[in-house]
């Protein structure tokens, strides 16, 4: 085995009841390189990463680390040997500080056996400074935004000073400037001969930072290519075994019929004087850097955190939205930024998650009409092509893309007219993204309208009829579809 190979996977397989998650998969990671791992949701990427970290045990095959055969039974074993992971699903301890989260279980101890908090905070400052992250290490995690939590998780992985770092959708909650800084850190790690396994559904990232790419499909190893020997079309074809014609499905036509008007909506410390209009048939994009107030504005519109002042008009009638229930009664639905935290009940079934927001409409005088519930749930599962063994499957067992489809089905079942979508394709594959774009276009064409918040510039430009740019909690500019480009949008946002 070559000395520059850090990880080598040979013929690894893993089965779960009724599912062959991995079938004789091969993979190699060389030192000083970024090796991308690509595939649709459910392709087996997460299973392979969990086997490498000792979270799952393989059924067959061999794994070599620095030339030695290894078999990890616990993540601690992998960490001790110099392998760490940035996980896609964030699991912070909310009531602990940033520093405590970064060094959890590794805190410096005084001679009196108590934690040395001064040293702990200084250690955290050092690693955050290296990553160019401006977060106070003494602040509690529950005070941070989703993007800031993501940055702390990245800092935690880097704090182990590992030779191999597995990165699962590490930029999914980051803005463009943070992503650029993150890529600079990756280049430094490569020069230090670290090896990085990189998983992302953002194709632009794959081609920007990767040296090699391995494709999995339905648990099978498909191919490994040098990044300069493959283009986007070929990579997508390997991932989904078909050509993907046009990533962005844009068929809706905005009408001159106002559905929503917002006047001077303000939430102290979040956003101020937000005024906009949304027309029937329109997809309105909202772009802004992290902390610009874009997600907080959607929370205000839906009554999650009601605005302090301002007016909301729906169909030219003033609407007092102080809680989500009143937003739903006014025809609004909200696909939130973090599906696992606020969009789903992970321990409940697909059926329960889809029907939960429509129980009143599915109920008779006393009880839920089970027949109507079954009909409605089946319609949503079929419409969004949710891949699940049955509607009784626990939703936590589904891939990220299928979980997002369950969220969409849940809200479409409420028959909304206005759809608020915050990062609707975060962490899902190109095939599932296209299906969501098809739905958005269809929804707008059928008389509805969409407000979409996204940090992905290609997505914003590909799907929006108009784009409103947020900066420091205010509207900094507005561009129509024809005049928008990445340079203009970033210039306004920053």
């Amino acid at each position: 085995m070559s000395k520059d190979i850090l990880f080598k996977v040979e013929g690894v397989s893993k089965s779960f009841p009724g599912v062959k998650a991995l079938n004789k998969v091969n993979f190699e990671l060389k030192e000083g390189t970024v090796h991308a791992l690509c595939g649709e949701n459910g392709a087996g990427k997460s299973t392979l990463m969990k086997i490498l970290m000792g979270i799952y045990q393989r059924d067959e095959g061999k794994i070599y680390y620095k030339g030695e055969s290894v078999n990890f039974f616990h993540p601690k074993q992998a960490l001790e040997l110099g392998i760490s992971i940035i996980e896609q699903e964030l699991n912070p301890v909310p009531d602990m500080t940033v520093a405590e989260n970064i060094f959890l279980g590794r805190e410096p101890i005084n001679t009196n056996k108590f934690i040395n908090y001064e040293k702990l905070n200084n250690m955290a400052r050092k690693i955050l400074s290296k990553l160019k992250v401006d977060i106070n290490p003494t602040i509690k995690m529950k005070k941070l935004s989703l993007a800031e939590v993501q940055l702390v998780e990245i800092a935690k992985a880097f704090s182990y000073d590992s030779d191999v770092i597995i990165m699962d959708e590490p930029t999914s909650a980051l803005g463009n400037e943070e992503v650029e800084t993150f890529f600079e850190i990756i280049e430094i790690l490569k020069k230090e001969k670290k090896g990085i396994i990189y998983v992302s559904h953002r194709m632009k990232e794959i081609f920007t930072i990767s040296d090699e790419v391995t494709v999995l499909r339905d648990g099978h190893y498909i191919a490994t290519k040098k990044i300069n020997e493959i283009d986007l079309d070929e990579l997508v074809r390997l991932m989904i075994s078909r050509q993907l014609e046009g990533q962005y499905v844009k068929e809706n036509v905005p009408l001159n019929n106002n559905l929503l008007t917002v006047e001077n909506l303000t939430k102290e410390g979040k956003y101020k004087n937000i005024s906009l209009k949304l027309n029937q048939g329109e997809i309105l994009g909202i772009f802004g850097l992290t902390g610009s107030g874009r997600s907080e504005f959607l929370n205000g519109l839906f009554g999650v955190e009601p605005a302090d002042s301002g007016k909301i008009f729906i169909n030219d009638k003033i609407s007092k939205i102080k809680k989500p229930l009143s937003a739903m009664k006014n025809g609004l639905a909200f696909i939130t930024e973090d599906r696992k935290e606020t969009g789903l009940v992970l321990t409940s079934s697909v059926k329960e998650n889809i029907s939960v927001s429509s129980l009143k409409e599915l109920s008779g005088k006393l009880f839920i009409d089970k027949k109507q519930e079954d009909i409605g749930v089946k319609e949503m599962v079929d419409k969004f092509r949710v891949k699940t063994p049955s509607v009784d499957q626990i939703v936590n067992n589904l891939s990220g893309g299928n979980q997002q489809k369950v969220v969409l089905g849940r809200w479409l079942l409420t028959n909304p007219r206005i759809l608020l979508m915050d990062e609707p394709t975060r962490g899902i594959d190109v095939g599932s993204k296209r299906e969501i774009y098809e739905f958005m276009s269809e929804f707008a064409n059928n008389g509805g309208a969409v407000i979409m918040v996204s940090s992905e510039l290609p997505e914003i430009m590909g799907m929006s009829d108009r784009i409103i740019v947020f900066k420091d909690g205010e509207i900094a500019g507005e561009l129509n579809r024809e005049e928008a480009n990445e340079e203009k949008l970033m210039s306004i946002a920053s």
Side-chain angles (χ1 to χ4, degrees), residues 467-494:
I467 303 169
I468 289 176
V469 183
F470 274 44
K471 179 185 177 184
D472 298 329
E474 298 183 83
I475 292 178
E478 179 178 328
L479 299 172
N480 60 41
R481 180 178 176 81
E482 289 71 27
E483 64 183 336
N485 60 46
E486 291 195 16
E487 290 75 21
K488 286 182 180 178
L489 289 169
M490 282 302 298
S491 177
I492 297 170
S494 58

Side-chain angles (χ1 to χ4, degrees), residues 98 124-125 128 133-139 144 147-149 151-152:
V98 167
R125 282 191 188 93
L128 290 168
V133 174
D134 185 20
I135 297 176
N136 185 342
T138 65
I139 195 171
L144 303 183
E148 289 170 329
V149 172
L151 290 168
V152 173

